[in-house]
Amino acid sequence: MNNLKLLNQSEVKKILTMKDVLQAVEDAFGSWGRGEVQMPPKSYLIFDEQNGDLRSMPAYLPGKNAGVKIVTVHPDNTSQGLPTVMALCVLNDPNTGFPVAVMDAGLLTAVRTGAAGGVASKWLAKEGSSEIGLIGSGVQAQYQIEAHLDFMNIDHIKISDPNKQATKDLSDWIKKKDSSIDISVTDIKNACDCDVLITTTPVRNPIVMDSMIVRPHTHINAIGADAEGKQEIEGNLVKRSNVIVDDWTQTSHSGEINVPCHEGWFTKDMVAGEIGTIVAEADSSFKNVLTIFDSTGLAIQDMATANIVLKKAIEKGMGIDWSPLK
Ligand SMILES: NC(=O)c1ccc[n+]([C@@H]2O[C@H](COP(=O)([O-])OP(=O)(O)OC[C@H]3O[C@@H](n4cnc5c(N)ncnc54)[C@H](O)[C@@H]3O)[C@@H](O)[C@H]2O)c1
């Protein structure tokens, strides 16, 4: 193959289904847990003045195209009509190195992040969980819900976000997906009284306090903190929870536990588990206890998802074929 496939976001959207991505991400976590993948930790460029950053995320899952995602996170972008998160994935054939695809990965990032939260809840949340609390109701929140709708019988979703438009848009979207779900717009404390709490804000000071988590089995997907200095959850709550990381190197650098690690009181031996090992070993021992899944986002999630997009795009004849060596 001498052509590279160029795919934009609307083409990726036509191809991707949450069901496929949930399976691909779960399989990728399992491979990671069995030590089958290559994935150096993501590296960062920090734009202090512009309040943003750029990350490069390479990975290779055996039997698939290797590649790298370049992703930027600029929380002030919404005022300019741009998404907070924008990304591109480049896929390379591991046999020759030939670049086989360049695709938009903004939507892909949101879908694979939603799927990671879904897989974490599948393995870490109590059986029969039916009540979700959402802190933050932006892009990531929607895809977290989409993933949970796939496998969880959701009765009630409590949403807390000071952005009334974002909250309304998400509520309307959920109603369209499943009108039987009760939706409450509420404060953070009330939203925390739930089975599965999902935090997707870019805050730098904790907003989920220890006293707010009252159920002994609540599972928390901590999604928002994915860069140095970001933190959504109060230290005392982290201390009394079983912290499951996606990857120790990444989470200690830039995940929910990055601030506790930099302060020196959270150490590697305090990690209760890694999602890859839990999936690889089908470990269901955390389902009835308080858990935090610290998600920074793994490049294997992106590469597993991008490979699905490329395969389906070739089957459907979608995208633009371009010859880079011409
Ligand atoms: N872990 C991962 O793999 C991963 C992947 C992608 C994005 N992220 C991170 O997730 C976060 C959210 O990304 P997004 O694309 O959804 O952004 P977004 O801007 O679409 O949504 C963020 C929402 O958080 C809300 N918010 C801000 N402060 C709040 C507060 N104090 N209480 C309640 N809500 C508050 C905002 O009003 C907004 O609606 C970012 O920090 C991003 O870097 C993580």
Side-chain angles (χ1 to χ4, degrees), residues 73 84 112-113 138-140 161-163 200 202 223-224 226 230 295 297:
V73 180
T84 299
R112 67 68 146 150
T113 305
V139 175
Q140 307 308 321
D161 188 326
N163 181 335
T200 58
I223 306 296
D226 61 350
K230 285 185 173 176
S295 154

Side-chain angles (χ1 to χ4, degrees), residues 88-101:
L88 280 181
C89 269
V90 179
L91 289 181
N92 297 75
D93 179 345
N95 296 305
T96 58
F98 190 86
V100 289

Side-chain angles (χ1 to χ4, degrees), residues 5 19 52 56 81 97 115 150 166 168 218 229 238 258 267 276 292 302 304 311 319:
K5 185 80 80 185
K19 197 172 248 339
S56 80
D150 195 77
K168 182 182 179 313
T218 296
V238 171
N258 89 83
T267 48
I292 296 176
D302 299 303
K311 184 167 176 278

Side-chain angles (χ1 to χ4, degrees), residues 42 53 55 57 69 71 73-75 78 83-85 109-110 112-113 116 134-142 144 160-164 166-167 188 199-203 205 207 222-227 230 232 246 294-298 301:
K42 63 175 113 167
D53 62 57
R55 307 144 193 210
M57 303 174 65
K69 183 174 81 170
V71 53
V73 180
H74 285 69
T78 36
T84 299
V85 178
T109 297
R112 67 68 146 150
T113 305
L134 281 180
I135 315 298
S137 60
V139 175
Q140 307 308 321
Q142 180 187 318
Q144 290 289 320
S160 183
D161 188 326
N163 181 335
K164 289 197 171 66
T167 305
I188 294 183
T199 62
T200 58
T201 73
V203 297
N205 289 304
I207 50 176
I223 306 296
D226 61 350
K230 285 185 173 176
E232 299 183 283
D246 59 8
D294 189 351
S295 154
T296 50
L298 302 182
Q301 295 165 225

Side-chain angles (χ1 to χ4, degrees), residues 26-62:
E26 187 167 26
D27 291 346
F29 282 159
S31 294
W32 173 233
R34 289 186 295 274
E36 297 164 355
V37 310
Q38 285 187 51
M39 186 181 60
K42 63 175 113 167
S43 57
Y44 286 75
L45 298 176
I46 307 294
F47 311 126
D48 275 333
E49 279 176 26
Q50 298 87 347
N51 186 27
D53 62 57
L54 179 150
R55 307 144 193 210
S56 80
M57 303 174 65
Y60 174 42
L61 286 150

